[in-house]
């Protein structure tokens, strides 16, 4: 289904944004409601379900925090995220130096966190049961942890040298956090430890000579502005302005050396990309200019480019229940990419009469032995 994703002429997302769409999130409980955040500070909540039951329909906006809303963000919304456990709450962060916790039913902020600098990214753990920490990446090199329970920003992780462009909790271990910075580094933290930092990812796997001019332990040769765990939490994908994407073993910190070729990335801020869930093999969906590139994660193969936006794509989000993809762009549009329906084969057609299709290389068996997995 992922290999047959296409722009669907029967599915539209109501055009509500008057400026670029920076961030999207689909709630994990039902997979039905989607949030979008715009560069004018507006947040819109969509219902993706086809209530009309007709083949052709438009995903309607249910409600919005518009420009006239008293608590609307003053500047660009960079990240929106649903509370992972129910749809009664969502979060948004903005270049206006705030992180807001919203009550979905009243569309009023239940809490607001203020920071000294621009907020690039925030993330709540999808699996945490023992803490309610929101990790926040800002213009400051310090990673902030805001506690939803106490309403305070009690915790700070120090180690980066420049602004923190992306943050992501592990979907496997609730205390493990990955952060990406303009200092070319990606750090893994255990937030229970006073020292915090577990490791700094090294693209050379420790093999670069000490006398080298290149700084030690860099993940990329440029700003690292995107990161995303695979759904099992065993690997971490990072993207940098060196036009490279790297896949890391998240437990050993080792660069797996998968070669994705040139992954063009001119973004000056955080890049919001997505990975598939429950597919074999797994795929990564990467904003690539005005297109979206689909890569097989473990082989590095560029499978296809989805084209349909008129301007830079800023974000994409995967809907795992139906293997659908939604993307947001500077062109103010949100597009729905839906698997093309296969023509059904009549029952009386014997198998031998069917033309043999060559196997798409993305389907070929790439299993490794369990020894290789460590």
């Amino acid at each position: 289904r992922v290999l047959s994703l296409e722009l669907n002429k029967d599915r539209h997302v109501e055009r509500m944004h008057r400026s670029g769409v920076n961030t999207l999130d689909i709630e994990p409980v039902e997979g039905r409601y989607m949030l979008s955040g715009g560069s004018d500070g507006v947040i819109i909540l969509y219902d993706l379900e086809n209530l009309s039951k007709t083949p052709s329909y438009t995903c309607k906006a249910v409600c919005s925090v518009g420009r006239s809303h008293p608590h609307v963000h003053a500047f660009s919304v960079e990240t929106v995220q649903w509370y992972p456990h129910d749809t009664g709450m969502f979060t948004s962060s903005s270049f206006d130096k705030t992180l807001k916790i919203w009550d979905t039913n009243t569309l009023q902020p239940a809490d607001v966190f203020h920071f000294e600098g621009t907020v690039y990214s925030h993330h709540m753990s999808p699996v945490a049961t023992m803490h309610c920490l929101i990790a926040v990446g800002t213009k400051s090199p310090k990673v902030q942890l805001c506690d939803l329970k106490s309403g305070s920003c009690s915790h700070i992780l120090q180690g980066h040298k420049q602004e923190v462009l992306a943050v992501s909790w592990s979907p496997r271990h609730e205390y493990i956090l990955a952060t990406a910075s303009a200092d070319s580094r990606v750090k893994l933290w255990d937030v229970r430890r006073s020292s915090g930092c577990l490791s700094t990812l090294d693209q050379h796997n420790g093999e670069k000579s000490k006398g080298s001019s290149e700084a030690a332990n860099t993940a990329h040769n440029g700003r690292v502005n995107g990161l995303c765990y695979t759904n099992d939490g065993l690997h971490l994908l990072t993207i940098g302005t060196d036009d490279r994407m790297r896949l890391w073993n998240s437990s050993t910190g080792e660069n797996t050396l998968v070669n994705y070729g040139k992954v063009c990335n001119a973004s000056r801020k955080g890049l919001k990309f997505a990975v598939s869930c429950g597919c074999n093999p797994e795929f990564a969906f990467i904003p690539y200019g005005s297109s979206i590139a689909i890569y097989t994660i473990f082989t590095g193969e560029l499978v296809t480019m989805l084209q349909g936006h008129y301007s830079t794509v800023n974000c994409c989000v995967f809907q795992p229940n139906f293997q659908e993809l939604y993307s947001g762009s500077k062109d103010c549009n949100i597009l729905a990419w839906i698997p093309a329906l296969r023509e059904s084969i009549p029952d009386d057609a014997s198998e031998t009469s069917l033309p043999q299709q060559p196997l798409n290389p993305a389907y070929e068996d790439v299993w490794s032995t369990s020894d290789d997995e460590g």
Side-chain angles (χ1 to χ4, degrees):
R1 285 173 66 86
V2 169
L3 293 174
S4 63
L5 281 176
E6 61 178 32
L7 196 55
N8 193 304
K9 58 184 181 298
D10 293 327
R11 176 89 58 95
H12 299 281
V13 180
E14 190 176 357
R15 186 179 164 132
M16 299 290 290
H17 283 282
R18 296 219 172 102
S19 66
V21 181
N22 290 335
T23 170
L24 296 168
D25 192 41
I26 296 173
E27 45 86 15
V29 182
E30 290 181 84
R32 173 174 173 180
Y33 296 103
M34 180 170 73
L35 289 166
S36 63
S39 49
D40 56 359
V42 169
I43 298 168
I44 296 171
L45 197 164
Y46 293 94
D47 185 347
L48 301 179
E49 190 155 305
N50 181 4
L51 298 171
S52 70
K53 302 295 180 223
T54 55
S56 180
Y57 73 100
T58 298
C59 302
K60 291 287 189 192
V62 181
C63 55
S64 67
V65 180
R67 286 310 311 158
S68 57
H69 191 288
H71 300 290
V72 67
H73 281 289
F75 302 125
S76 173
V77 175
E78 290 300 302
T79 312
V80 289
Q81 189 192 0
W82 286 101
Y83 180 61
H85 307 296
D86 70 63
T87 54
M89 188 166 84
F90 66 89
T91 55
S92 62
S93 59
S94 162
F95 277 0
D96 67 9
K97 308 178 183 177
T98 65
L99 163 69
K100 297 187 179 185
I101 317 300
W102 299 86
D103 179 319
T104 312
N105 300 312
T106 63
L107 277 195
Q108 296 296 314
D111 210 344
V112 182
F113 295 93
H114 296 270
F115 302 92
E116 288 176 10
T118 304
V119 184
Y120 288 105
S121 171
H122 77 269
H123 193 230
M124 281 177 284
S125 168
V127 293
T129 54
M130 304 299 286
H131 72 76
C132 287
L133 296 173
I134 304 180
V136 186
T138 70
K139 210 164 181 65
S140 157
K142 296 173 184 152
V143 180
Q144 317 260 351
L145 298 179
C146 299
D147 193 340
L148 273 183
K149 281 204 182 100
S150 67
S152 71
C153 254
S154 51
H155 220 84
I156 285 174
L157 304 175
Q158 301 203 46
H160 282 298
K161 306 259 194 309
Q162 292 179 48
E163 55 201 1
V164 177
L165 299 171
V167 294
S168 182
W169 292 96
S170 162
R172 196 177 187 85
H173 304 289
E174 65 175 292
Y175 294 104
I176 303 298
L177 174 71
T179 59
S181 165
D183 65 7
S184 306
R185 289 177 171 80
V186 173
K187 290 182 178 285
L188 300 180
W189 315 79
D190 181 335
V191 299
R192 294 168 299 184
R193 290 169 43 150
S194 55
S195 62
C197 190
L198 287 173
S199 63
T200 303
L201 301 184
D202 176 16
Q203 59 182 310
H204 305 294
N205 289 335
E207 289 175 12
K208 200 82 173 166
S209 70
K210 290 284 181 280
S212 161
S213 59
E214 266 182 51
N217 286 25
T218 54
H220 288 265
N221 301 327
R223 298 154 65 87
V224 192
N225 60 350
L227 40 80
C228 188
Y229 276 95
T230 53
N231 281 280
D232 58 13
L234 295 175
H235 292 86
L236 178 70
L237 273 169
T238 62
I239 287 186
T241 54
D242 55 359
D243 293 339
R244 287 280 174 262
M245 180 158 73
R246 297 207 161 91
L247 180 71
W248 310 83
N249 178 316
S250 58
S251 55
T252 65
E254 187 180 8
N255 179 359
T256 62
L257 305 174
V258 173
N259 181 8
Y260 299 95
K262 184 176 182 179
V263 183
C264 289
N265 171 14
S267 175
R268 300 297 300 158
K269 50 187 192 176
L271 190 72
K272 309 281 194 282
F273 66 99
V275 295
S276 63
C277 177
C279 300
N280 178 29
E282 296 286 359
F283 301 95
F285 308 96
I286 314 293
Y288 198 110
S290 60
S291 308
I292 299 146
I294 304 185
Y295 292 91
T296 46
I297 291 179
F298 294 104
T299 64
E301 182 199 0
L302 174 59
V303 181
T304 187
M305 297 284 264
L306 302 179
Q307 290 168 334
H309 281 291
Y310 300 112
S311 186
T312 308
V313 178
N314 292 323
C315 55
C316 48
V317 64
F318 187 68
Q319 209 287 21
N321 304 4
F322 304 109
Q323 291 85 43
E324 297 169 352
L325 187 74
Y326 293 84
S327 58
S329 161
K330 218 173 183 172
D331 64 13
C332 312
N333 289 320
I334 298 170
L335 297 184
W337 308 87
I338 313 295
L341 288 171
R342 293 261 176 269
E343 294 296 319
S344 58
I345 298 162
D347 292 340
D348 56 358
S350 69
E351 302 227 338
T352 51
S353 65
L354 290 177
Q356 288 296 308
Q357 288 292 321
L359 187 66
N360 184 307
Y363 283 131
E364 283 174 9
D365 190 356
V366 288
W367 286 103
S368 60
T369 63
S370 55
D371 301 343
D372 298 341
E373 294 296 318

